[in-house]
Amino acid sequence: MRGLLLAISTLTVLISPGYGQFPGSPVSDYRSGLFVQNPCVSKQTCSECLQTPTCAWCMKEDYTSLDGAPLPRCNQETHFSAQSSSRVQCPIDEVVNPNNVFRVIQNIDLQRASQYHEAVQVQPQHVSLKMRVNEAHNLDFFYEQAQDYPVDLYYLMDLSKSMEDDKEKLSKLGDLLAATMQNITSNFKLGFGSFVDKVVMPYVSTVPKKLEEPCDGCAAPYGYKHHMRLSTDTSTFSGEVKRAQVSGNLDAPEGGFDAIMQAIVCKNEIGWRDKARKLLVFSTDAGFHYAGDGKLGGIVKPNDGFCHLDSKGTYTHSTLQDYPSVSQINHKVKENSVNVIFAVTEEQFDVYNMLQANIEGSSAGTLSADSSNIVELVKAQYQAITSSIEMKDNATGSVRVTYYSSCVGDGPVRQTNKCSGLRVGSRVQFTAKIEVVKCPKDPREWRQKFQIYPVGINESVLVDLEMMCQCECEQPGNPGYMENAPQCSGHGTYMCGICQCPTDFFGRRCECDRENLGFHGDLEAGCRPDNTTTTLCNNRGDCICGKCECYPRENPDEIVSGDYCECDNFSCDRYDGLLCSGPEHGYSACECRATNETCITPYGEHINKLCSGHGSCSCGECKCFETEEGQFSGRFCEECPTCPGKCEELTPCVQCLQFQSGTLADKEDEFGVDLCDKCPFDVIEVEKAEDYVRDDERLCTFIDDDDCRATFVYGYHNSTGQLMVWVQTTKECPVVVDVMGIILGVIGAIVAVGLLLILMWKVFTTIHDRREFARFEKERAMAKWDAGENPIFKSATSTYKNPTYNGKM
């Protein structure tokens, strides 16, 4: 553990203005707008100092000024290299300031292949590099395409029923294909394989009869078969293609990814050579299944990326493992340096053209309906592949590699990792700017190996990298390291000139015992003038064992003193003082300084440069240049309003780090490192980005994946030159038009109007009917009926007589 002294010192720097915000202090807060003049003096250990650019550490045991005041051990390297004895009190052999160390381990000259040796296309082949953080090293290396370089071409063909005529055409063109490639290189090998799909439902019919003959004249279905090993006997190619039988399946996509994976990883079975240009020609007229599709057939085990071919060349795990993913294919392509050529029909070209953009070193070409143009297509794609070169690396997120080259021309060097228009014998020089951007937390990662390689070629520059993240004097067994040292009162470990104290002791020499102090638990009482304040040492010193030790000044002539660091000899008002500081310094016209110190840029990306490299120093002031990029301005010529900014370059990282969107989101490199972690900066969340735009910051905006406008500001830290990015947490999104709501609203309005009209019609009809009925009732009540008798009316009378009756009983 670091001693309590260092903890108190660090805490004082972080939470109080003591070490930077009183007048003339060498350190200040970037956000407060005060520029940091010296980033080194605040570093408390040698390892922290070593990880700060341009800083050096003095490990002298008693490092003090002439008057005995302690001096900051970490300071600018120019401070220790100065010759003035009044300033430098540290012997040069006790200054820890290691430089980057570069050594070439293997450097075989570029050469063509012969019967005595293999071709060499990349030089050098192996280097070692010992580097400090943020101090770049430029590594120059060369690439030259060797004449008559070996070529391995493996033809992988879709043999479903729809490709039957293509198979026949390929068998006839086999000799021509071999002859064409042998005209390009005499060291040529050719092989052949085919594929259909997984033999499970729903990819193929599992009816027993269909498993034997899925279509008329078809062979039994299969996943992938390796028919012909890569061989110089190309005359057998046509025969193998002709003997291969077509088969059939049910769904439209094919199992091509299974075949590609096996054709790449089965190195011994296929016969791939290490020192050869490996071409895998993939021919099909259909789409492809990929990871996850296997679940439709009940296959849930992920593809393991290993070879599974039996003695007959058949893929044995077709029904056991899922299809590979695009990223798995890409990883294996890069690992084995294979160039995949997708030769597909016109209706499938767009799909495979998007696929090749996600597989390194691959390309796509349009195949005719019967594959009659296959020879011209392979030749054209091979020439396109070999006429350009792209350099990449597999460095971790702690290392940044930037490439520069003028390619084959004699123009200016520019930032690029790709050159085109190459011919056999064209030599291209690249410069790789290698930077350690941060020290990994795990010390085991301070030593790394990574490769700088041309895409599709199994050659590389192997870099053994050692990061200088710790001083040697902080490691046991080295000079300057001693446990229970007398310099540390026998309690702590002496390292690099300072003491690392155990838990119960603190102080510069571990002289303070927490249990035996006389302040009754208040360790700070002796560092306050009275009980009316909680400020220790006036924020201008450290409280050590109850006494103030005042901070030293960068200028040894300036001294802070007093029991509570309340006095100094440099804060007096000199505005009306002596002219030119007295007659010994000059009389009038002293406004021009004898040095250029006032023109040295103290902050930003051009720190410690004269006028930021964009102007000249005249009489202590910068006179800015006007270049082709634009007119520079500012006190140190650090600004260029008309120059192109870095908004577009920083946008992908801002999207990924802040909003988890963009091209880098949820993606990993071939080593499983999240691409977000490779971003060379951390974002700072702010409520409003515009508030952080000052003189040397740039405001940037971009449209995110959700069509919302995001805003961020970038600038450079005043002391370290580190890139800083402030991102506004909220995005400005356009008003979303609710189309469905509008449609439903219109429909609702129409229905409502219709219902209203019906209601009005009903009301009017009812009123009209009631009026008519009332009129009828009124007329009926007014009608008069005559109830008199008819004078000619007589009622009918009937008389009955019995002729047999004579009135006697």
Side-chain angles (χ1 to χ4, degrees):
M1 295 178 63
R2 182 180 300 177
L4 187 58
L5 164 64
L6 297 179
I8 294 175
S9 301
T10 304
L11 185 61
T12 304
V13 171
L14 292 176
I15 66 175
S16 71
Y19 208 32
Q21 293 185 2
F22 57 87
S25 168
V27 181
S28 62
D29 189 354
Y30 177 84
R31 293 195 179 232
S32 68
L34 299 175
F35 296 132
V36 178
Q37 299 298 324
N38 190 340
C40 305
V41 295
S42 62
K43 307 306 176 184
Q44 301 296 316
T45 64
C46 187
S47 58
E48 291 179 354
C49 186
L50 187 67
Q51 295 178 35
T52 307
T54 72
C55 294
W57 178 270
C58 179
M59 58 180 291
K60 182 182 177 183
E61 181 175 343
D62 294 313
Y63 182 47
T64 60
S65 62
L66 295 178
D67 60 357
L71 294 174
R73 292 185 175 273
C74 186
N75 215 322
Q76 295 284 345
E77 56 188 5
T78 54
H79 173 84
F80 295 111
S81 62
Q83 298 300 315
S84 173
S85 61
S86 63
R87 292 190 61 192
V88 180
Q89 305 296 326
C90 187
I92 192 65
D93 59 343
E94 295 195 68
V95 175
V96 180
N97 185 30
N99 295 318
N100 293 344
V101 180
F102 173 75
R103 185 167 62 93
V104 177
I105 299 176
Q106 185 178 19
N107 189 27
I108 302 175
D109 291 337
L110 301 174
Q111 59 189 13
R112 58 175 294 179
S114 68
Q115 59 178 335
Y116 302 106
H117 51 69
E118 295 179 329
V120 177
Q121 299 183 116
V122 178
Q123 180 189 7
Q125 296 79 37
H126 193 182
V127 300
S128 69
L129 191 55
K130 192 173 181 180
M131 296 187 65
R132 292 181 61 172
V133 177
N134 292 320
E135 292 193 3
H137 176 81
N138 291 331
L139 168 63
D140 294 332
F141 62 98
F142 300 89
Y143 168 80
E144 180 179 327
Q145 182 182 344
Q147 187 175 3
D148 208 28
Y149 195 71
V151 174
D152 291 344
L153 191 153
Y154 190 80
Y155 199 97
L156 185 58
M157 189 174 188
D158 174 8
L159 282 189
S160 57
K161 181 66 174 178
S162 60
M163 293 285 287
E164 186 172 17
D165 57 338
D166 299 76
K167 183 185 80 73
E168 298 301 325
K169 183 64 67 174
L170 180 63
S171 65
K172 297 177 181 179
L173 296 175
D175 293 336
L176 179 59
L177 176 62
T180 301
M181 294 304 298
Q182 285 174 339
N183 289 334
I184 297 174
T185 173
S186 60
N187 196 347
F188 174 70
K189 288 188 175 183
L190 185 63
F192 174 64
S194 65
F195 65 92
V196 182
D197 211 338
K198 294 182 181 298
V199 190
V200 295
M201 281 290 289
Y203 316 113
V204 302
S205 175
T206 55
V207 175
K209 183 179 180 180
K210 293 291 185 180
L211 286 176
E212 296 179 2
E213 188 178 8
C215 51
D216 294 338
C218 293
Y222 58 90
Y224 162 69
K225 283 185 181 179
H226 168 51
H227 297 278
M228 175 184 171
R229 179 183 172 88
L230 288 167
S231 172
T232 55
D233 183 14
T234 57
S235 59
T236 62
F237 177 80
S238 297
E240 290 291 341
V241 174
K242 190 172 184 178
R243 282 191 294 271
Q245 291 181 281
V246 297
S247 186
N249 60 329
L250 293 179
D251 62 344
E254 314 290 4
F257 272 23
D258 274 344
I260 292 176
M261 177 63 76
Q262 294 302 301
I264 293 175
V265 299
C266 296
K267 180 178 178 180
N268 295 330
E269 290 78 1
I270 302 299
W272 296 113
R273 292 175 289 181
D274 287 336
K275 296 292 184 178
R277 174 78 72 170
K278 306 180 186 71
L279 302 180
L280 177 62
V281 180
F282 181 86
S283 175
T284 184
D285 64 348
F288 51 85
H289 285 295
Y290 53 90
D293 287 357
K295 294 180 180 179
L296 295 173
I299 303 173
V300 296
K301 184 179 180 180
N303 194 285
D304 60 11
F306 294 115
C307 180
H308 299 287
L309 295 184
D310 59 16
S311 58
K312 297 181 180 179
T314 303
Y315 179 37
T316 59
H317 283 50
S318 175
T319 59
L320 302 178
Q321 291 186 160
D322 195 4
Y323 301 97
S325 65
V326 175
S327 61
Q328 282 182 298
I329 296 292
N330 183 49
H331 175 66
K332 292 301 180 180
V333 162
K334 291 192 291 185
E335 187 180 85
N336 294 274
S337 301
V338 176
N339 293 107
V340 181
I341 300 175
F342 295 109
V344 297
T345 52
E346 185 175 1
E347 59 270 15
Q348 297 294 332
F349 178 78
D350 290 340
V351 174
Y352 283 91
N353 192 42
M354 289 189 289
L355 176 63
Q356 64 90 19
N358 293 279
I359 297 180
E360 185 176 286
S362 64
S363 58
T366 302
L367 195 66
S368 61
D370 59 353
S371 298
S372 59
N373 67 331
I374 186 63
V375 176
E376 293 80 5
L377 189 150
V378 172
K379 180 180 178 181
Q381 293 298 320
Y382 176 79
Q383 291 176 342
I385 292 173
T386 56
S387 64
S388 63
I389 190 67
E390 183 178 7
M391 305 305 302
K392 289 196 174 183
D393 60 82
N394 54 10
T396 64
S398 301
V399 182
R400 179 170 58 229
V401 183
T402 309
Y403 299 93
Y404 300 86
S405 179
S406 60
C407 293
V408 295
D410 54 359
V413 175
R414 58 188 177 89
Q415 182 177 339
T416 182
N417 67 329
K418 189 173 184 179
C419 291
S420 57
L422 306 183
R423 297 180 180 179
V424 174
S426 298
R427 177 173 296 194
V428 181
Q429 177 178 342
F430 286 94
T431 298
K433 181 182 178 182
I434 304 174
E435 297 175 272
V436 177
V437 295
K438 62 180 178 181
C439 284
K441 295 181 180 179
D442 189 349
R444 292 174 297 181
E445 297 180 12
W446 293 352
R447 289 179 178 268
Q448 299 183 4
K449 291 179 182 289
F450 69 91
Q451 292 177 310
I452 299 174
Y453 61 91
V455 174
I457 297 178
N458 192 22
E459 296 185 49
S460 65
V461 180
L462 178 62
V463 180
D464 293 339
L465 176 63
E466 179 182 350
M467 305 178 188
M468 289 188 276
C469 298
Q470 188 179 34
C471 301
E472 293 183 356
C473 53
E474 293 177 316
Q475 304 172 22
N478 289 296
Y481 183 94
M482 184 186 304
E483 297 181 355
N484 300 319
Q487 296 93 328
C488 303
S489 306
H491 303 303
T493 301
Y494 180 76
M495 55 175 67
C496 302
I498 61 174
C499 291
Q500 185 179 42
C501 304
T503 306
D504 296 334
F505 294 87
F506 62 97
R508 297 192 185 279
R509 297 185 179 276
C510 305
E511 69 276 18
C512 303
D513 187 346
R514 292 164 57 91
E515 297 182 356
N516 297 323
L517 289 176
F519 294 108
H520 307 289
D522 187 0
L523 303 181
E524 302 171 347
C527 300
R528 295 192 299 266
D530 52 52
N531 291 332
T532 62
T533 179
T534 58
T535 301
L536 303 179
C537 304
N538 285 284
N539 287 330
R540 295 165 64 163
D542 287 330
C543 186
I544 306 300
C545 294
K547 293 183 178 181
C548 288
E549 292 192 11
C550 303
Y551 294 135
R553 303 283 298 175
E554 186 177 13
N555 185 349
D557 295 330
E558 297 178 355
I559 300 174
V560 179
S561 59
D563 292 340
Y564 310 105
C565 302
E566 73 276 16
C567 305
D568 65 61
N569 65 348
F570 54 83
S571 296
C572 297
D573 189 358
R574 301 297 176 90
Y575 182 79
D576 293 326
L578 296 176
L579 181 65
C580 302
S581 300
E584 67 273 19
H585 292 276
Y587 293 92
S588 62
C590 303
E591 65 273 12
C592 292
R593 297 176 179 266
T595 67
N596 292 335
E597 291 183 0
T598 56
C599 295
I600 302 298
T601 307
Y603 56 86
E605 61 177 324
H606 303 296
I607 186 172
N608 295 328
K609 292 183 181 179
L610 185 68
C611 298
S612 303
H614 304 137
S616 61
C617 186
S618 175
C619 197
E621 295 183 356
C622 287
K623 303 297 182 183
C624 303
F625 297 147
E626 182 177 2
T627 66
E628 294 179 355
E629 294 180 346
Q631 173 65 55
F632 289 89
S633 61
R635 180 182 176 186
F636 300 102
C637 302
E638 74 277 17
E639 302 175 13
C640 183
T642 59
C643 296
K646 301 180 69 173
C647 294
E648 185 175 351
E649 176 185 343
L650 301 179
T651 292
C653 279
V654 172
Q655 283 183 282
C656 187
L657 293 172
Q658 180 63 31
F659 303 111
Q660 293 76 50
S661 60
T663 58
L664 303 182
D666 300 326
K667 292 184 180 179
E668 297 179 347
D669 62 11
E670 63 271 19
F671 300 96
V673 178
D674 196 320
L675 292 184
C676 272
D677 294 339
K678 285 196 167 187
C679 292
F681 60 86
D682 295 323
V683 298
I684 304 170
E685 295 184 356
V686 297
E687 184 175 351
K688 191 174 182 181
E690 288 84 349
D691 294 342
Y692 289 78
V693 178
R694 297 189 181 90
D695 295 335
D696 56 344
E697 283 80 22
R698 291 286 185 92
L699 179 67
C700 306
T701 61
F702 63 88
I703 303 300
D704 207 356
D705 295 347
D706 54 4
D707 293 330
C708 294
R709 182 183 299 276
T711 307
F712 67 93
V713 173
Y714 75 87
Y716 297 88
H717 196 281
N718 290 340
S719 59
T720 64
Q722 179 183 359
L723 178 65
M724 303 184 70
V725 180
W726 296 270
V727 183
Q728 186 168 306
T729 54
T730 58
K731 294 183 283 188
E732 299 176 5
C733 298
V735 178
V736 178
V737 178
D738 189 357
V739 178
M740 183 59 67
I742 294 175
I743 294 174
L744 294 177
V746 171
I747 294 174
I750 294 174
V751 172
V753 171
L755 292 174
L756 180 61
L757 292 175
I758 293 174
L759 179 62
M760 292 174 63
W761 173 82
K762 182 65 176 176
V763 171
F764 293 148
T765 303
T766 302
I767 293 173
H768 179 268
D769 289 347
R770 288 183 178 179
R771 287 179 177 175
E772 290 297 320
F773 182 73
R775 185 183 301 165
F776 169 74
E777 289 291 335
K778 182 178 180 181
E779 291 180 356
R780 189 184 67 170
M782 293 175 63
K784 296 181 179 181
W785 302 97
D786 188 359
E789 295 181 355
N790 190 342
I792 63 173
F793 173 75
K794 292 183 178 181
S795 59
T797 302
S798 298
T799 302
Y800 299 94
K801 290 184 178 184
N802 188 348
T804 63
Y805 176 66
N806 56 6
K808 294 181 180 180
M809 297 299 292

